[in-house]
Amino acid sequence: MRLMVYSRGLLAAALLALAPWPAQAGVNIQHWTTGNGMRVYFTPAPELPIIDMRVVLDAGSARDGEQPGVAGMTATLLNEGSDELDADAIAVRFEEVGAEYAGDAGLDQASVSLRSLSDANLFEPAFDTFMRALTNPSFPPDAVERIRNQILVGLREEAQSPDAIASRAFYRAVYGTHPFASAVSGTERSVRGLERKDVQAFHERYYVAGNGVLALTGDLTRAQAERLAERIDQRMPKGKPPAPLPEVQPLAEARTVKIPFPSEQAHVYIGQPGIARGDPDYFPLYVGNHILGGSGFTSRLMKEVRVERGLSYSVYSYFLPELVAGPFMIGLQTRIDQATQAARVARDTVRKFVREGPTAQELTLATSNITAGFPLRIDSNADILEYLALIGYYKLPLDYLDTFNHNVEAVDQARIRAAFSKQLNIERMVKVIVGGDAKG
Amino acid sequence: MKTLLLAALAGLLCIASATSSQQPGLKLNAHEYELDNGMKVLVKPDTRAPVAVVQVWYKVGSADEHTGITGVSHVLEHMMFKGTERHPAGEFSRIIAANGGEENAFTSRDYTAYYEMLERSRLPIALELEADRMRNLTMSKDAFLKEIEVVKEERRLRTDDSPPSLTYEQLNATAFNHGPYHHPIIGWMSDLEHLTIEDARRWYDSWYAPNNATLVVVGDVEPAAVRKLAERYFGDIPAKKLPDREPRPEAPQRGERRAVVKAPAELPYLMQAYKTPALLMSEHVWEPYALAVAAGVLDAGRSSRLSQRLVRGQQVAASAGASYDLYSRYDDLFLLDSTPASGRGMAEVEQALDREIDKLRTKLVTQAELDRVKAQVVASEVYAQDSIMTQATTLGALETIGVGWEAIEEYIEHIRAVTPEQVREVARKYLIEDKRTTAVLEPVAIQPAAKRAPAASEAAQ
């Protein structure tokens, strides 16, 4: 059923970022390493005749180097040709068996995923095509040109979206010379300059077993999973992971970036560098942000900006932990003439929270929300695959899910206050406002 | 390749349309009851996780609105979270949150629905809250005045500042010039400016009644136990006499219509709509299924025609999509959309789409194409079983639209039965110029300052 639906809240982005990967017995995560060094994370889920798999690689735009956009272009080109198959043939081979393929690059990772029915007659051809795309893409010159064109169209699409403009400006201002400053889609100039051999070289360097994590779930046994993992492993060069990304420097001073745009709304982002995955302050920051701006309708930002003042449809905050410090980010959109007011309300709300921390009542509500909601996070194979990829890629403890609720319950008001005052400096934040005229 | 907007349109509900299967063990097998007050109850056990989804569907949406009060269904949806005497404003969300649940709601042309997703033992909490707000909504004026501002921001965000959405809104309003689907779901801004709390109250008093509602529960639950709970919480809510729905059929379209939308944008964008029957009112049951297959031949994955020919072959489009929804309360649209590739003109794109439609009218689709569409339908039905939310949404939408949830069980069977001749026949009958509406987005230059984002003004605070 097509149909645009309108809803009371569009909070997906906000809720995803620090999404709990909560715990409770029930997710049987099995882990091993293949001959070439690919780390495998597997959970059997035999109830539905589906197999889900994802190979995650340290091959996101943070590895672009002097060629912004090359990681994204590589991920996009994998299924545009392989061996003797062209893009049409690859598409047919997936779709005639009902399989779904996706290749995607983000900031600190790239991933290649397959969802297929588990019936061997359907799965085997899908898997074979998947492997050809992953391990032996031919990057046909005409496909490189076509995809370049599509990326350029995508960049113009970004240029007509005040939100995309604001997000780009935010990352640039927060990250300065760090690789995270640059957008996955690159820039018009860099994308025009990318050559086929750059993409080939990127694939050769980063799409290797030693740089890969395999997440696998669905209708297969441990023995089948092991054979599958070996089959993937053997077709990938051994390789090794790249050097760690540089650490992120804190902001030296506050900065405001105003960009005029002929929109009805101003898009506002406020924030600074946050934390990396595995940070010891993760749980106090997670629970604290849940209260501040991560829990949708019950969060403080929502109450102050939307419920009390009717200033915005969506307002949220999140920490986005990555291999190194991802951002802490507050986002909202509001009528142009209210932008300054809304930004001030948001900042005051954060300032008060950093200073005072949550109330006992807020903490109780947040803790019960997160812990009681645990089963919801792992109620589908698609969810389980996400967690396997997350735990595997960031090397989180295998019992991460099992101890999650306990770690959440161990957070108290003092730890939240301490973590927030250590982590956030409200006097040194980046504020981006896109919309209105230059004076804004 | 799906374009941005059609992908967005597809969203939650499109996935839903593919649920169920004729394969053993994959049927929805919902249990159906009706309470004495006319409320329908559908229960589908799925014991894979200790979780349950509760949805309450009201058969009222923007299709029931008229000029002057457009958007009222959606505004009322927002107000449903603003409290009852027993549970004042904010309490609904607080209680669900404290119990680890997720909650939200959505409004469409044909319905308004509310949902909670919880650990299974908390099911009664959601039912109690939903029953309470079915009849005891307080709706304070103060809350209304703030919330209507929120809704206006929502409209600015999702429509006014989105060139493709503006184009879709105009396409829709041009294709349906007076029928139930003429108005945007979120409402025209001028109507939002003038909407009053009395409008929302009237809407609530008219349509929110057990005999205009369906309760859907999917998850790790016992059908008999859910039935008891439904009776306990909803059983004593009296039925209402519902307003008559005047028939408002759209007058036959006599010739192609065009709309031009000028908005600050970088990219041109094209949408086309052909008037097509929906399953509910279709004279021939097979026709909507044949139209669904036609949409699939054009745009079911990257192997389909628009991707293969327009995006890759001729490279005339950066993206191109097609969609058709057979499940709606009134007759609907077969939609195409496209963004031209760099350096290619809008006219070229339009001609390329025309050629593809023309091929459907003149040549039989191949068996291989049909098989691929059918394979994808079967697979996506299985994939849809992975989400209890999708299962619940499918049941609720089909029941509320009026085709009955069982229609989903026949979906694959009907799709499998579609022949190449039938695809050609519906294309000849419906995908014709006289039933077509075209909307074109003509970009108005965004001022140069905005394009130079990196050089934008920066200042220490």
Side-chain angles (χ1 to χ4, degrees), chain B residues 56-61 73 77 106-108 110-114 208:
Chain B
V56 177
W57 293 72
Y58 295 94
K59 187 175 176 175
V60 62
S73 303
E77 178 222 298
F106 48 89
T107 305
S108 182
D110 295 333
Y111 44 71
T112 311
Y114 300 83
Y208 279 50

Side-chain angles (χ1 to χ4, degrees), chain B residues 206-246:
Chain B
S206 302
W207 297 110
Y208 279 50
N211 47 320
N212 198 37
T214 298
L215 169 69
V216 181
V217 180
V218 178
D220 192 2
V221 295
E222 274 287 321
V226 174
R227 182 180 192 166
K228 262 193 204 151
L229 288 170
E231 270 163 9
R232 183 194 311 162
Y233 290 111
F234 292 93
D236 64 346
I237 303 178
K240 281 179 189 169
K241 178 168 179 348
L242 299 167
D244 291 330
R245 289 178 209 268
E246 306 290 343

Side-chain angles (χ1 to χ4, degrees), chain A residues 1 88 95 156-157 255, chain B residues 4 14 17 266 303 312 458:
Chain A
M1 262 160 281
D88 291 348
E95 288 163 9
R156 292 181 67 196
E157 210 156 6
R255 266 173 93 185
Chain B
L4 264 192
C14 185
S17 74
E266 287 279 326
S303 66
R312 293 199 296 277
E458 288 193 20

Side-chain angles (χ1 to χ4, degrees), chain B residues 156-199:
Chain B
R156 287 184 190 107
L157 177 69
R158 299 178 61 175
T159 304
D160 298 326
D161 278 349
S162 164
S165 295
L166 278 176
T167 310
Y168 173 65
E169 187 173 85
Q170 281 306 312
L171 177 89
N172 202 61
T174 309
F176 297 117
N177 58 21
H178 70 289
Y181 290 158
H182 171 78
H183 301 298
I185 297 161
I186 199 160
W188 300 105
M189 188 60 107
S190 56
D191 285 347
L192 295 178
E193 300 280 2
H194 296 106
L195 211 61
T196 66
I197 190 167
E198 284 73 29
D199 295 322

Side-chain angles (χ1 to χ4, degrees), chain A residues 16 40 198:
Chain A
L16 272 178
V40 186
D198 302 325

Side-chain angles (χ1 to χ4, degrees), chain A residues 1-6 8 88 95 98 115 149 156-157 160 255-256 264-265 369 373 379 381-382, chain B residues 4 13-14 17 77 81 97 100 107-108 117 153 158 161 185 266 302-303 312 332 342 383 386 458-459:
Chain A
M1 262 160 281
R2 170 182 57 74
L3 279 196
M4 185 172 277
V5 291
Y6 283 86
R8 170 171 159 255
D88 291 348
E95 288 163 9
R115 169 166 263 201
N149 244 308
R156 292 181 67 196
E157 210 156 6
Q160 71 182 21
R255 266 173 93 185
T256 297
E264 300 284 323
Q265 281 188 318
N369 175 234
D379 73 338
N381 294 4
Chain B
L4 264 192
L13 301 180
C14 185
S17 74
E77 178 222 298
F81 294 86
T107 305
S108 182
M117 193 167 163
E153 293 298 343
R158 299 178 61 175
D161 278 349
I185 297 161
E266 287 279 326
R302 290 165 51 91
S303 66
R312 293 199 296 277
D332 202 359
S342 299
Y383 301 151
D386 194 29
E458 288 193 20

Side-chain angles (χ1 to χ4, degrees), chain A residues 84-303:
Chain A
E84 76 286 4
L85 303 175
D86 65 7
D88 291 348
I90 290 176
V92 165
R93 286 171 63 120
F94 281 128
E95 288 163 9
E96 70 189 0
V97 293
E100 296 176 353
Y101 164 92
D104 191 34
L107 216 49
D108 76 349
Q109 59 177 261
S111 65
V112 190
S113 311
L114 178 69
R115 169 166 263 201
S116 167
L117 298 173
S118 56
D119 179 332
N121 292 323
L122 303 171
F123 176 76
E124 279 300 326
F127 178 71
D128 175 67
T129 314
F130 176 84
M131 288 311 298
R132 288 163 179 256
L134 173 66
T135 64
N136 198 25
S138 52
F139 304 119
D142 64 322
V144 174
E145 290 315 309
R146 178 164 39 76
I147 293 300
R148 181 200 314 283
N149 244 308
Q150 286 174 18
I151 294 172
L152 290 171
V153 168
L155 286 170
R156 292 181 67 196
E157 210 156 6
E158 287 187 36
Q160 71 182 21
S161 154
D163 189 60
I165 293 168
S167 170
R168 241 173 207 269
F170 177 82
Y171 274 89
R172 199 161 42 234
V174 167
Y175 286 102
T177 57
H178 190 274
F180 280 3
S182 156
V184 178
S185 46
T187 65
E188 191 180 325
R189 202 172 135 194
S190 69
V191 169
R192 285 193 191 283
L194 290 175
E195 292 183 42
R196 176 169 176 267
K197 66 176 168 47
D198 302 325
V199 175
Q200 271 175 322
F202 191 89
H203 181 264
E204 222 165 88
R205 169 65 190 91
Y206 294 105
Y207 285 69
V208 292
N211 190 31
V213 170
L214 171 66
L216 184 59
T217 191
D219 180 22
L220 71 177
T221 64
R222 165 71 184 240
Q224 289 170 318
E226 284 183 18
R227 278 199 298 276
L228 210 53
E230 283 303 330
R231 286 168 71 190
I232 297 173
D233 184 71
Q234 281 159 18
R235 302 243 326 241
M236 291 176 85
K238 185 165 185 191
K240 57 178 198 301
L245 293 170
E247 288 302 313
V248 176
Q249 299 308 311
L251 294 174
E253 58 180 8
R255 266 173 93 185
T256 297
V257 180
K258 285 185 178 168
I259 301 176
F261 196 87
S263 50
E264 300 284 323
Q265 281 188 318
H267 289 248
V268 181
Y269 284 110
I270 302 170
Q272 60 191 196
I275 54 167
R277 281 280 167 199
D279 190 293
D281 278 338
Y282 175 81
F283 284 98
L285 292 175
Y286 167 63
V287 177
N289 185 69
H290 191 83
I291 297 162
L292 174 62
S295 56
F297 300 112
T298 56
S299 80
R300 276 201 193 183
L301 281 169
M302 192 67 113
K303 274 183 197 153

